[in-house]
Amino acid sequence: MQQYQRDFIQLALDHRVLRFGDFTLKSGRQSPYFFNAGHFHTGAALAALGHAYAEAVIASEVDFDVIFGPAYKGIPLGAVTAVALAQKGINKPFCFNRKEAKDHGEGGTIVGAPLVGKVLIVDDVITAGTAVREVVQIIAAHGASAAGVVIGLNRQERASEECEFSAIQQVERQYNIPVISIVQLDNVISYLEQESHDSETLQKIVDYRQRYGVSDQ
């Protein structure tokens, strides 16, 4: 595990972005942990978050022309990633979309740089893959192509009981693009083990991983 990944997990714990307990997911599953990037809501946290996203992008060596933050959570995530990359000498244009088209002023649904070339999508998580599919359609409608998706956490779990693949694996196969995550659930488990976290909570997460997890991520 790289230092930026360790720092990201600790950042998520410090800001209660990563919490433990009993959570009902959209899928109906009862999860022993929950990840909510909306709790990264201070200037310092966002700066550190941008650094983690930028490091993951650099490590992936993905080739892209523009950064795209899908409304709504992806907008600040894309912005802080663009800033952090620029600070590391990689200055890329950034844009985001509105949920509804603006009918005055400059109009349209895209704000910021033109949506052209190879587009790197920045978001928090991929749950069912629906949001990514919508974004890929937006990108294609502007004559651009998706270069990849970068997210905070890969839960490494099957999309449904009937499916052996995760939503992330399905997106990668459907669009032939990489999904880059700052950390995977396996990284979180390793970190908690190394930090001697509460053994009961850790065992629940391990059991959840074994019950719903996918093997090759």
Side-chain angles (χ1 to χ4, degrees):
M1 198 183 333
Q2 299 298 312
Q3 187 60 48
Y4 76 86
Q5 295 175 306
R6 297 179 60 82
D7 291 344
F8 175 77
I9 294 171
Q10 189 58 55
L11 183 73
L13 291 170
D14 290 344
H15 290 270
R16 293 185 55 78
V17 169
L18 178 61
R19 292 185 293 151
F20 307 111
D22 188 16
F23 304 94
T24 302
L25 306 180
K26 288 182 180 179
S27 63
R29 293 172 182 165
Q30 296 298 121
S31 173
Y33 74 97
F34 192 70
F35 182 86
N36 180 8
H39 286 290
F40 288 125
H41 49 52
T42 69
L46 287 169
L49 182 61
H51 170 77
Y53 269 92
E55 288 293 333
V57 170
I58 292 169
S60 74
E61 299 183 341
V62 63
D63 182 29
F64 66 99
D65 301 307
V66 60
I67 297 168
F68 181 78
Y72 288 104
K73 283 186 179 179
I75 297 174
L77 296 177
V80 296
T81 301
V83 171
L85 284 170
Q87 292 172 338
K88 298 174 188 297
I90 303 172
N91 188 25
K92 297 286 187 176
F94 165 68
C95 62
F96 61 91
N97 67 307
R98 297 186 178 95
K99 285 289 189 180
E100 297 180 0
K102 185 177 179 182
D103 59 4
H104 61 280
E106 74 275 17
T109 59
I110 303 300
V111 182
L115 193 54
V116 296
K118 293 172 285 190
V119 181
L120 181 63
I121 304 163
V122 181
D123 216 337
D124 56 348
V125 295
I126 293 178
T127 304
T130 305
V132 172
R133 294 181 180 92
E134 292 174 353
V135 171
V136 170
Q137 291 175 357
I138 292 171
I139 292 170
H142 284 78
S145 61
V149 186
V150 57
I151 60 173
L153 172 67
N154 178 351
R155 291 180 62 96
Q156 294 182 285
E157 65 182 80
R158 299 193 308 275
S160 67
E161 298 303 313
E162 300 76 23
C163 181
E164 61 179 307
F165 299 114
S166 69
I168 286 176
Q169 289 173 321
Q170 290 175 330
V171 166
E172 290 180 322
R173 284 162 171 75
Q174 182 175 355
Y175 298 109
N176 193 31
I177 58 174
V179 175
I180 303 148
S181 58
I182 300 174
V183 294
Q184 301 179 341
L185 180 58
D186 284 345
N187 298 132
V188 174
I189 292 172
S190 295
Y191 185 83
L192 296 178
E193 288 174 340
Q194 293 168 10
E195 296 298 317
S196 300
H197 195 78
D198 174 58
S199 59
E200 183 178 353
T201 297
L202 181 56
Q203 188 58 53
K204 288 180 180 179
I205 297 172
V206 170
D207 292 344
Y208 185 87
R209 173 81 171 94
Q210 291 175 342
R211 180 176 181 182
Y212 297 114
V214 291
S215 57
D216 185 19
Q217 284 277 295

